[in-house]
Short mmCIF file of all heavy atoms in Angstrom, two decimals:
data_model
loop_
_atom_site.label_atom_id
_atom_site.label_comp_id
_atom_site.label_asym_id
_atom_site.label_seq_id
_atom_site.Cartn_x
_atom_site.Cartn_y
_atom_site.Cartn_z
N GLU K 154 66.21 82.29 100.78
CA GLU K 154 66.38 83.72 100.58
C GLU K 154 67.73 84.14 101.12
O GLU K 154 68.24 83.56 102.07
CB GLU K 154 65.27 84.48 101.32
CG GLU K 154 65.30 85.97 101.14
CD GLU K 154 64.14 86.67 101.83
OE1 GLU K 154 63.57 86.12 102.79
OE2 GLU K 154 63.83 87.80 101.42
N VAL K 155 68.32 85.17 100.50
CA VAL K 155 69.57 85.75 100.98
C VAL K 155 69.35 87.25 101.16
O VAL K 155 68.83 87.91 100.27
CB VAL K 155 70.73 85.51 99.99
CG1 VAL K 155 72.01 86.19 100.48
CG2 VAL K 155 70.97 84.01 99.80
N LYS K 156 69.74 87.75 102.33
CA LYS K 156 69.62 89.18 102.61
C LYS K 156 70.98 89.72 103.02
O LYS K 156 71.78 89.01 103.65
CB LYS K 156 68.62 89.43 103.75
CG LYS K 156 67.18 89.12 103.37
CD LYS K 156 66.25 89.46 104.52
CE LYS K 156 64.81 89.16 104.14
NZ LYS K 156 63.90 89.45 105.26
N PHE K 157 71.20 90.97 102.67
CA PHE K 157 72.45 91.64 103.01
C PHE K 157 72.18 92.76 103.99
O PHE K 157 71.25 93.54 103.81
CB PHE K 157 73.09 92.20 101.73
CG PHE K 157 73.41 91.14 100.73
CD1 PHE K 157 72.47 90.79 99.77
CD2 PHE K 157 74.62 90.48 100.75
CE1 PHE K 157 72.75 89.79 98.84
CE2 PHE K 157 74.91 89.48 99.83
CZ PHE K 157 73.97 89.14 98.87
N GLY K 158 72.98 92.83 105.05
CA GLY K 158 72.89 93.93 106.00
C GLY K 158 71.92 93.71 107.14
O GLY K 158 71.33 92.64 107.30
N LEU K 159 71.77 94.80 107.92
CA LEU K 159 70.93 94.79 109.12
C LEU K 159 69.78 95.78 109.03
O LEU K 159 69.03 95.94 109.97
CB LEU K 159 71.78 95.16 110.36
CG LEU K 159 72.92 94.25 110.73
CD1 LEU K 159 73.74 94.87 111.85
CD2 LEU K 159 72.39 92.91 111.15
N GLY K 160 69.70 96.49 107.92
CA GLY K 160 68.70 97.54 107.82
C GLY K 160 69.18 98.83 108.45
O GLY K 160 68.39 99.67 108.87
N SER K 161 70.49 99.01 108.53
CA SER K 161 71.11 100.20 109.10
C SER K 161 72.08 100.78 108.08
O SER K 161 73.09 100.17 107.77
CB SER K 161 71.87 99.84 110.38
OG SER K 161 72.73 100.88 110.77
N ALA K 162 71.78 101.95 107.57
CA ALA K 162 72.64 102.57 106.56
C ALA K 162 74.06 102.73 107.06
O ALA K 162 75.02 102.59 106.30
CB ALA K 162 72.07 103.93 106.14
N GLU K 163 74.23 103.00 108.34
CA GLU K 163 75.56 103.19 108.91
C GLU K 163 76.45 101.97 108.70
O GLU K 163 77.65 102.09 108.44
CB GLU K 163 75.46 103.52 110.40
CG GLU K 163 76.81 103.71 111.06
CD GLU K 163 76.72 104.04 112.54
OE1 GLU K 163 75.60 104.09 113.09
OE2 GLU K 163 77.77 104.25 113.15
N PHE K 164 75.87 100.79 108.81
CA PHE K 164 76.66 99.56 108.71
C PHE K 164 76.46 98.82 107.39
O PHE K 164 77.37 98.16 106.91
CB PHE K 164 76.33 98.64 109.88
CG PHE K 164 76.68 99.23 111.21
CD1 PHE K 164 75.69 99.66 112.07
CD2 PHE K 164 78.00 99.37 111.60
CE1 PHE K 164 76.01 100.22 113.30
CE2 PHE K 164 78.33 99.93 112.82
CZ PHE K 164 77.33 100.35 113.67
N ASP K 165 75.30 98.93 106.81
CA ASP K 165 75.01 98.15 105.61
C ASP K 165 75.86 98.57 104.42
O ASP K 165 76.15 97.75 103.55
CB ASP K 165 73.52 98.21 105.27
CG ASP K 165 72.67 97.48 106.29
OD1 ASP K 165 73.24 96.82 107.18
OD2 ASP K 165 71.44 97.58 106.20
N ASP K 166 76.29 99.81 104.38
CA ASP K 166 77.15 100.28 103.30
C ASP K 166 78.53 99.63 103.37
O ASP K 166 79.30 99.69 102.41
CB ASP K 166 77.30 101.80 103.34
CG ASP K 166 76.01 102.52 102.97
OD1 ASP K 166 75.09 101.87 102.41
OD2 ASP K 166 75.92 103.73 103.24
N GLU K 167 78.84 98.98 104.49
CA GLU K 167 80.15 98.36 104.68
C GLU K 167 80.14 96.87 104.33
O GLU K 167 81.17 96.20 104.43
CB GLU K 167 80.62 98.56 106.12
CG GLU K 167 80.81 100.03 106.46
CD GLU K 167 81.16 100.26 107.92
OE1 GLU K 167 81.08 99.32 108.74
OE2 GLU K 167 81.51 101.41 108.24
N GLY K 168 78.99 96.31 103.98
CA GLY K 168 78.91 94.91 103.58
C GLY K 168 79.29 93.92 104.67
O GLY K 168 80.03 92.97 104.43
N ARG K 169 78.77 94.10 105.87
CA ARG K 169 79.20 93.30 107.02
C ARG K 169 78.39 92.04 107.30
O ARG K 169 78.82 91.20 108.08
CB ARG K 169 79.22 94.17 108.27
CG ARG K 169 80.25 95.27 108.18
CD ARG K 169 80.42 96.00 109.48
NE ARG K 169 81.54 96.91 109.40
CZ ARG K 169 82.81 96.56 109.59
NH1 ARG K 169 83.12 95.33 109.89
NH2 ARG K 169 83.76 97.46 109.50
N VAL K 170 77.20 91.90 106.72
CA VAL K 170 76.34 90.77 107.08
C VAL K 170 75.68 90.17 105.85
O VAL K 170 75.12 90.89 105.02
CB VAL K 170 75.23 91.18 108.07
CG1 VAL K 170 74.35 90.00 108.44
CG2 VAL K 170 75.80 91.80 109.32
N ILE K 171 75.74 88.86 105.77
CA ILE K 171 74.95 88.10 104.79
C ILE K 171 74.14 87.09 105.59
O ILE K 171 74.70 86.32 106.37
CB ILE K 171 75.83 87.35 103.78
CG1 ILE K 171 76.74 88.31 103.02
CG2 ILE K 171 74.97 86.55 102.81
CD1 ILE K 171 77.78 87.61 102.16
N THR K 172 72.84 87.09 105.40
CA THR K 172 71.95 86.15 106.07
C THR K 172 71.29 85.27 105.01
O THR K 172 70.58 85.79 104.15
CB THR K 172 70.88 86.87 106.89
OG1 THR K 172 71.52 87.73 107.85
CG2 THR K 172 69.98 85.89 107.62
N ALA K 173 71.54 83.98 105.09
CA ALA K 173 70.93 83.04 104.16
C ALA K 173 69.94 82.17 104.93
O ALA K 173 70.30 81.56 105.95
CB ALA K 173 71.99 82.16 103.50
N GLU K 174 68.72 82.13 104.43
CA GLU K 174 67.71 81.29 105.06
C GLU K 174 67.63 79.96 104.34
O GLU K 174 67.48 79.90 103.12
CB GLU K 174 66.33 81.97 105.02
CG GLU K 174 65.26 81.14 105.69
CD GLU K 174 63.89 81.79 105.70
OE1 GLU K 174 63.74 82.91 105.17
OE2 GLU K 174 62.97 81.17 106.25
N PHE K 175 67.73 78.91 105.11
CA PHE K 175 67.56 77.55 104.62
C PHE K 175 66.32 76.96 105.28
O PHE K 175 65.72 77.58 106.16
CB PHE K 175 68.81 76.71 104.91
CG PHE K 175 70.01 77.15 104.13
CD1 PHE K 175 70.85 78.14 104.62
CD2 PHE K 175 70.29 76.61 102.88
CE1 PHE K 175 71.96 78.56 103.90
CE2 PHE K 175 71.39 77.02 102.15
CZ PHE K 175 72.22 78.01 102.66
N GLU K 176 65.93 75.77 104.88
CA GLU K 176 64.70 75.17 105.39
C GLU K 176 64.67 75.09 106.91
O GLU K 176 63.67 75.43 107.55
CB GLU K 176 64.50 73.78 104.79
CG GLU K 176 63.22 73.12 105.24
CD GLU K 176 63.05 71.70 104.68
OE1 GLU K 176 63.82 71.30 103.79
OE2 GLU K 176 62.15 71.01 105.17
N LYS K 177 65.77 74.65 107.51
CA LYS K 177 65.75 74.39 108.95
C LYS K 177 66.59 75.35 109.78
O LYS K 177 66.65 75.22 111.00
CB LYS K 177 66.21 72.96 109.21
CG LYS K 177 65.26 71.94 108.62
CD LYS K 177 65.70 70.53 108.96
CE LYS K 177 64.70 69.54 108.36
NZ LYS K 177 65.01 68.17 108.71
N PHE K 178 67.25 76.32 109.15
CA PHE K 178 68.12 77.23 109.90
C PHE K 178 68.44 78.47 109.07
O PHE K 178 68.23 78.50 107.86
CB PHE K 178 69.41 76.55 110.32
CG PHE K 178 70.26 76.09 109.16
CD1 PHE K 178 71.25 76.90 108.61
CD2 PHE K 178 70.06 74.83 108.60
CE1 PHE K 178 72.01 76.49 107.54
CE2 PHE K 178 70.84 74.40 107.53
CZ PHE K 178 71.81 75.23 107.00
N PHE K 179 69.00 79.47 109.76
CA PHE K 179 69.59 80.63 109.12
C PHE K 179 71.10 80.50 109.23
O PHE K 179 71.61 80.12 110.29
CB PHE K 179 69.17 81.93 109.81
CG PHE K 179 67.74 82.31 109.61
CD1 PHE K 179 66.79 82.02 110.58
CD2 PHE K 179 67.34 82.98 108.45
CE1 PHE K 179 65.47 82.39 110.40
CE2 PHE K 179 66.01 83.34 108.27
CZ PHE K 179 65.08 83.05 109.24
N LEU K 180 71.81 80.85 108.18
CA LEU K 180 73.26 80.92 108.20
C LEU K 180 73.63 82.39 108.07
O LEU K 180 73.27 83.04 107.08
CB LEU K 180 73.88 80.10 107.08
CG LEU K 180 75.40 80.14 106.97
CD1 LEU K 180 76.03 79.55 108.23
CD2 LEU K 180 75.86 79.38 105.74
N VAL K 181 74.32 82.91 109.07
CA VAL K 181 74.71 84.31 109.07
C VAL K 181 76.23 84.38 109.02
O VAL K 181 76.91 83.78 109.84
CB VAL K 181 74.19 85.03 110.34
CG1 VAL K 181 74.64 86.50 110.34
CG2 VAL K 181 72.68 84.91 110.44
N ASN K 182 76.73 85.12 108.04
CA ASN K 182 78.16 85.34 107.91
C ASN K 182 78.41 86.83 108.14
O ASN K 182 77.72 87.66 107.55
CB ASN K 182 78.64 84.92 106.52
CG ASN K 182 80.14 84.86 106.43
OD1 ASN K 182 80.84 85.22 107.37
ND2 ASN K 182 80.63 84.41 105.30
N THR K 183 79.39 87.14 108.99
CA THR K 183 79.60 88.54 109.34
C THR K 183 81.07 88.90 109.47
O THR K 183 81.92 88.03 109.71
CB THR K 183 78.89 88.88 110.68
OG1 THR K 183 78.93 90.28 110.88
CG2 THR K 183 79.53 88.17 111.85
N TYR K 184 81.33 90.17 109.31
CA TYR K 184 82.62 90.77 109.64
C TYR K 184 82.31 91.89 110.63
O TYR K 184 81.84 92.96 110.25
CB TYR K 184 83.34 91.29 108.40
CG TYR K 184 84.63 92.01 108.72
CD1 TYR K 184 85.57 91.43 109.58
CD2 TYR K 184 84.91 93.24 108.18
CE1 TYR K 184 86.75 92.07 109.88
CE2 TYR K 184 86.09 93.90 108.48
CZ TYR K 184 87.01 93.31 109.33
OH TYR K 184 88.18 93.96 109.64
N VAL K 185 82.50 91.62 111.90
CA VAL K 185 82.14 92.54 112.98
C VAL K 185 83.06 93.75 112.97
O VAL K 185 84.26 93.64 112.69
CB VAL K 185 82.20 91.80 114.34
CG1 VAL K 185 82.08 92.76 115.50
CG2 VAL K 185 81.10 90.75 114.41
N VAL K 186 82.50 94.90 113.30
CA VAL K 186 83.25 96.15 113.40
C VAL K 186 84.43 95.97 114.35
O VAL K 186 84.27 95.42 115.45
CB VAL K 186 82.33 97.29 113.90
CG1 VAL K 186 83.12 98.56 114.16
CG2 VAL K 186 81.21 97.53 112.90
N ASN K 187 85.60 96.43 113.95
CA ASN K 187 86.79 96.39 114.77
C ASN K 187 86.88 97.68 115.57
O ASN K 187 86.61 98.76 115.04
CB ASN K 187 88.02 96.23 113.86
CG ASN K 187 89.29 95.99 114.64
OD1 ASN K 187 89.68 96.80 115.46
ND2 ASN K 187 89.94 94.89 114.37
N ALA K 188 87.25 97.60 116.82
CA ALA K 188 87.36 98.79 117.67
C ALA K 188 88.49 99.70 117.25
O ALA K 188 88.54 100.86 117.66
CB ALA K 188 87.52 98.37 119.13
N GLY K 189 89.40 99.22 116.44
CA GLY K 189 90.43 100.05 115.84
C GLY K 189 91.61 100.38 116.73
O GLY K 189 91.58 100.20 117.94
N ALA K 190 92.65 100.88 116.08
CA ALA K 190 93.86 101.31 116.79
C ALA K 190 93.48 102.42 117.76
O ALA K 190 92.76 103.36 117.40
CB ALA K 190 94.91 101.80 115.79
N GLY K 191 93.94 102.30 118.99
CA GLY K 191 93.61 103.29 120.01
C GLY K 191 92.14 103.30 120.38
O GLY K 191 91.66 104.24 120.99
N LEU K 192 91.42 102.24 119.99
CA LEU K 192 89.99 102.06 120.28
C LEU K 192 89.14 103.21 119.72
O LEU K 192 88.08 103.53 120.25
CB LEU K 192 89.75 101.89 121.79
CG LEU K 192 90.54 100.77 122.45
CD1 LEU K 192 90.27 100.74 123.95
CD2 LEU K 192 90.23 99.43 121.82
N LYS K 193 89.60 103.79 118.62
CA LYS K 193 88.92 104.96 118.06
C LYS K 193 87.51 104.67 117.54
O LYS K 193 86.69 105.58 117.43
CB LYS K 193 89.76 105.60 116.96
CG LYS K 193 89.99 104.72 115.75
CD LYS K 193 90.89 105.36 114.74
CE LYS K 193 91.13 104.38 113.61
NZ LYS K 193 92.20 104.79 112.74
N THR K 194 87.20 103.41 117.24
CA THR K 194 85.85 103.08 116.78
C THR K 194 85.12 102.15 117.75
O THR K 194 84.18 101.46 117.37
CB THR K 194 85.88 102.44 115.37
OG1 THR K 194 86.75 101.32 115.39
CG2 THR K 194 86.34 103.44 114.32
#
């Protein structure tokens, strides 16, 4: 199975997480939120 997101509208609209389930493990690929210039985020 492949799932997208975390179940959070705030972040899922940004396409930050793909979780793929395999027989013996989960593979998670992510682009973590950047704190931004001046740490604004």
Side-chain angles (χ1 to χ4, degrees):
E154 183 177 24
V155 177
K156 291 183 180 179
F157 299 90
L159 298 173
S161 166
E163 179 179 2
F164 297 108
D165 291 353
D166 291 345
E167 297 175 350
R169 295 189 172 277
V170 180
I171 302 171
T172 302
E174 181 179 0
F175 292 88
E176 182 182 349
K177 295 183 179 183
F178 62 92
F179 289 99
L180 178 63
V181 179
N182 192 355
T183 189
Y184 176 48
V185 170
V186 173
N187 188 301
L192 305 178
K193 64 184 177 193
T194 55

